[in-house]
Amino acid sequence: MTCAGEAQSASRCPSTVTAGEQRAMLLTDDGVSIEARYEPSPGLGTEPSDHLALVVGHGFSGALERPALRRVASAFHQRTAVITFSFRGHGRSGGRSTVGDREVLDLAAAVRWARRLGHRRVATVGFSMGGSVVIRQAALYGKSDEIQPLQDVHQGERTGRSTGRTDAVPGTPGEAADAFAESADALAASADGAAPDAVVAVSSPARWYYRGTAPMRRLHWAVTRPAGRLVSRYGLRTRIDPRGWAVDPLSPVAAAPLIAPTPLLIVHGDRDPYFPLDHPRMLASAADPSTSELWIEPGYGHAETAAAPDLLARIADWAAAHA
């Protein structure tokens, strides 16, 4: 039986490829195999427990071996240990993309792997879609004693349906409960080593269904239309779940206030072509001001492809200081 076929949570089958570096197929709580790579801290003769691990979530259509993510990982690895992985539906990972919903389970599996490798401090860093995932995952798996029951959070986060959605709206309380039971928010019932110690969201959306820019209108076409999903599969090598969301997942702006006391850094460029500055400002306004920071970066575009080495170095240093 292969590792991905075992009905167990997270990684049980890491395989060493070089001295210290490891690759693994992680298994999520809903049974999806996730390809992942671990690069230990460059410090020689030290234990993992002495170092922070950065767990990096890529943007939509990214993947473990894509050049942009490898460049980010290389910059972070100059300072500390790094785990990179492909979200479901991307790269060699199994499953299909749910565009920010069940991806929280992928991230949780990667954080748990960092803990099992011996890291006591783990920070998550997400770009674009990955930014929304790290915010949501920290809220759903976080350390706050004041988080309300997930059912209440989830059902209170209904934002309406878009014309591109492929599911019917749950019509009765029973149907809504069934839809919720199938969501990632319902599965995120226990931190179990998956709670991060610090969170960095880069180029993240604040809310769902944003179509105010041309790139986001193209992305919605790719996600919601059969022809778009075909282009995504063969042009972007990204496999999208055609079923859509039965119930809207907890949005990033609704998740942001639930992250405290875990430190949160929101990073956004003033030249982001996907999400204008009202998105990071909404997130910052919703987050606990005592545990969060907002960086608006002059001249910065969008996500990992536009991140300069200096910005990546500052992000790594912030995570090391706050995790």
Side-chain angles (χ1 to χ4, degrees):
M1 180 179 291
T2 65
C3 179
E6 295 179 10
Q8 303 175 34
S9 64
S11 167
R12 300 297 171 86
C13 307
S15 58
T16 301
V17 293
T18 64
E21 181 181 318
Q22 296 185 32
R23 289 182 182 263
M25 290 301 291
L26 313 180
L27 197 66
T28 67
D29 286 338
D30 63 340
V32 175
S33 58
I34 301 296
E35 65 167 346
R37 176 176 174 179
Y38 170 69
E39 297 169 271
S41 173
L44 298 177
T46 57
E47 295 297 322
S49 60
D50 297 330
H51 294 278
L52 169 73
L54 295 178
V55 178
V56 185
H58 59 76
F60 179 77
S61 80
L64 176 65
E65 300 298 344
R66 291 289 178 92
L69 186 61
R70 296 272 39 95
R71 184 177 61 81
V72 169
S74 176
F76 287 162
H77 187 233
Q78 294 177 26
R79 282 167 160 73
T80 193
V82 180
I83 287 178
T84 46
F85 63 96
S86 295
F87 281 120
R88 62 187 59 205
H90 295 74
R92 295 184 177 89
S93 291
R96 294 184 179 183
S97 175
T98 61
V99 200
D101 179 13
R102 288 183 172 247
E103 283 75 10
V104 297
L105 306 175
D106 310 344
L107 181 63
V111 172
R112 289 188 181 114
W113 188 34
R115 302 287 188 198
R116 280 195 297 276
L117 289 166
H119 291 279
R120 296 175 184 170
R121 297 188 300 141
V122 180
T124 54
V125 183
F127 295 85
S128 193
M129 181 189 77
S132 70
V133 173
V134 299
I135 292 173
R136 284 176 24 78
Q137 193 266 349
L140 295 170
Y141 290 83
K143 301 175 180 179
S144 173
D145 294 330
E146 299 180 359
I147 294 179
Q148 58 184 302
L150 295 180
Q151 289 88 342
D152 297 340
V153 171
H154 194 81
Q155 297 299 345
E157 176 43 32
R158 299 306 301 275
T159 58
R161 312 283 293 190
S162 80
T163 56
R165 295 289 289 279
T166 57
D167 297 302
V169 178
T172 67
E175 290 172 344
D178 290 343
F180 174 73
E182 295 174 356
S183 73
D185 294 9
L187 289 172
S190 172
D192 188 27
D197 299 298
V199 180
V200 183
V202 185
S203 304
S204 173
R207 56 194 185 272
W208 304 135
Y209 307 120
Y210 178 73
R211 300 172 187 246
T213 59
M216 285 307 299
R217 289 191 288 273
R218 289 193 294 269
L219 187 145
H220 276 275
W221 175 82
V223 170
T224 61
R225 302 305 176 98
R229 291 192 293 271
L230 191 66
V231 170
S232 295
R233 183 180 185 93
Y234 294 103
L236 302 177
R237 292 177 288 174
T238 301
R239 307 174 304 280
I240 300 170
D241 192 330
R243 295 172 296 178
W245 297 334
V247 177
D248 294 345
L250 183 70
S251 72
V253 72
L258 306 180
I259 294 175
T262 301
L264 168 64
L265 173 62
I266 301 161
V267 181
H268 213 90
D270 66 357
R271 295 188 180 179
D272 191 311
Y274 287 80
F275 305 113
L277 292 178
D278 63 308
H279 284 261
R281 288 170 178 156
M282 285 180 65
L283 292 171
S285 295
D288 185 333
S290 68
T291 58
S292 62
E293 294 182 36
L294 171 62
W295 295 356
I296 300 297
E297 295 294 310
Y300 176 39
H302 185 72
E304 59 265 54
T305 56
D310 172 70
L311 175 59
L312 297 173
R314 286 190 286 121
I315 288 173
D317 290 342
W318 182 94
H322 290 81

